[in-house]
Amino acid sequence: MTWFKREKKPMEVPDERRVVTEGLWIKCDGCKDPLWKKDLEGNFQVCPKCNHHYKISAYDRINLLMDPGWSEHDASLYSTDPLNFKANKAYKDSLKSLPAKVGVQEAVVTVQGTMNSIPVVLSAMEYNFIGGSMGSVVGEKITRAIERSLESRSSLVVVSCSGGARMQEGALSLMQMAKISSALARLDQERLPYISVLTDPTTGGVTASFAMLGDLNIAEPGALIGFAGPRVIEQTIRQKLPEGFQRSEFLLEHGMIDAIVHRKEMKDFIAKSLTFFLP
Ligand SMILES: [Zn+2]
């Protein structure tokens, strides 16, 4: 037996009056305020209230920094999974499924063109491809970018966004650190400028090699930059780490980087620095 009975049909909202709001707003990772996605898009993916710099894709980065008309190099290089690596997921499967999902063949994209009319070779890392990790293809592409700078007497810019070396390729990933560093030494001998841009996050073997080897090392505000993560360091030294440890501002204060530049000023800042370096 039921005590109450609904006699009228439940009220229905006609379809055309339903407004889809889901996905238009996000909660800012920095200030926790609600943020309209359009505002974020119109501001280079930077929160207009607190300046939190969100990650952007390699191609967005390239379009932000390069003049129109750039051309891409080595777009078809891909890893062959030399160790036949399997963890939770087979590495081969990630390599197969990610290009369609992320829109890149590997975790770095290299282009050549001009930046405020200065000839430049630019490599930008893609975090959505296995955390921007450096395997043998990333190492090879960055080395080739350096060699292209040498051949064409262009300046080199590398934008890092990476969790470090790619464990799925073991020691082969670690070898890339030495390979890239020795190629950079040749660039230095030829007196061609290299500017390294560190974005959130730049860690592990990437920080320990080319990301810190720039003639100028420039970071975006608030970026996590370090070798091992803060938790590992705290456990090792058994001490509480200071506030803001491993963020761009802390590193600048301690002389580890040369400048912190807002994303919307990055192109002009790099171009201006290059005119200073170039004869
Ligand atoms: Zn914010």
Side-chain angles (χ1 to χ4, degrees):
M1 193 191 87
T2 45
W3 288 89
F4 298 105
K5 204 176 159 196
R6 191 189 289 273
E7 289 188 338
K8 283 188 206 158
K9 274 188 174 174
M11 206 169 73
E12 270 185 29
V13 184
D15 271 351
E16 65 268 24
R17 282 187 52 204
R18 268 188 207 145
V19 182
V20 182
T21 53
E22 197 190 336
L24 287 177
W25 293 83
I26 57 161
K27 191 172 160 187
C28 176
D29 290 343
C31 59
K32 310 289 176 209
D33 272 6
L35 198 57
W36 197 32
K37 270 193 183 167
K38 276 259 157 60
D39 279 348
L40 202 59
E41 280 159 22
N43 197 38
F44 311 95
Q45 300 288 336
V46 176
C47 171
K49 290 175 193 159
C50 73
N51 239 359
H52 179 80
H53 281 52
Y54 283 84
K55 288 184 188 70
I56 58 171
S57 73
Y59 284 110
D60 282 348
R61 179 76 62 183
I62 288 162
N63 287 322
L64 198 72
L65 295 178
M66 298 295 279
D67 301 336
W70 48 263
S71 54
E72 187 174 344
H73 292 300
D74 309 316
S76 56
L77 288 191
Y78 63 91
S79 173
T80 54
D81 184 18
L83 304 181
N84 206 6
F85 188 90
K86 277 192 192 84
N88 294 338
K89 211 173 157 192
Y91 178 40
K92 240 184 210 85
D93 294 344
S94 306
L95 288 174
K96 212 178 277 171
S97 65
L98 280 172
K101 223 187 281 173
V102 185
V104 288
Q105 276 299 332
E106 253 296 340
V108 71
V109 179
T110 297
V111 300
Q112 190 164 15
T114 57
M115 189 183 286
N116 287 355
S117 305
I118 303 166
V120 160
V121 175
L122 170 79
S123 289
M125 300 191 82
E126 172 59 65
Y127 194 76
N128 287 323
F129 198 100
I130 321 184
S133 54
M134 172 172 60
S136 40
V137 171
V138 168
E140 177 63 19
K141 283 180 87 165
I142 294 178
T143 307
R144 287 190 190 188
I146 301 165
E147 287 166 352
R148 269 203 183 88
S149 295
L150 282 164
E151 275 161 31
S152 60
R153 304 281 316 162
S154 305
S155 306
L156 175 74
V157 179
V158 179
V159 183
S160 297
C161 184
S162 173
R166 189 175 295 172
M167 61 154 189
Q168 291 90 327
E169 293 189 22
L172 295 168
S173 293
L174 300 178
M175 288 172 190
Q176 307 309 315
M177 295 166 63
K179 179 164 117 186
I180 298 171
S181 302
S182 57
L184 282 174
R186 278 195 284 149
L187 200 69
D188 190 51
Q189 279 162 8
E190 289 295 319
R191 306 187 70 75
L192 286 164
Y194 161 43
I195 293 187
S196 170
V197 180
L198 301 103
T199 70
D200 185 55
T202 298
T203 57
V206 168
T207 311
S209 59
F210 59 90
M212 282 294 180
L213 290 176
D215 294 304
L216 272 183
N217 300 321
I218 308 167
E220 283 193 336
L224 175 75
I225 299 161
F227 182 66
R231 213 161 6 108
V232 176
I233 299 174
E234 272 185 352
Q235 281 165 7
T236 312
I237 63 170
R238 293 169 197 280
Q239 268 180 47
K240 190 103 192 83
L241 293 167
E243 181 77 23
F245 181 72
Q246 290 187 322
R247 295 282 162 188
S248 314
E249 294 72 16
F250 189 93
L251 269 74
L252 181 68
E253 206 178 299
H254 292 83
M256 283 287 284
I257 55 172
D258 300 302
I260 297 174
V261 180
H262 191 288
R263 190 172 288 164
K264 73 170 174 237
E265 286 144 17
M266 192 61 88
K267 180 178 179 177
D268 288 342
F269 188 95
I270 297 173
K272 206 171 148 193
S273 313
L274 288 176
T275 52
F276 171 78
F277 282 119
L278 291 166

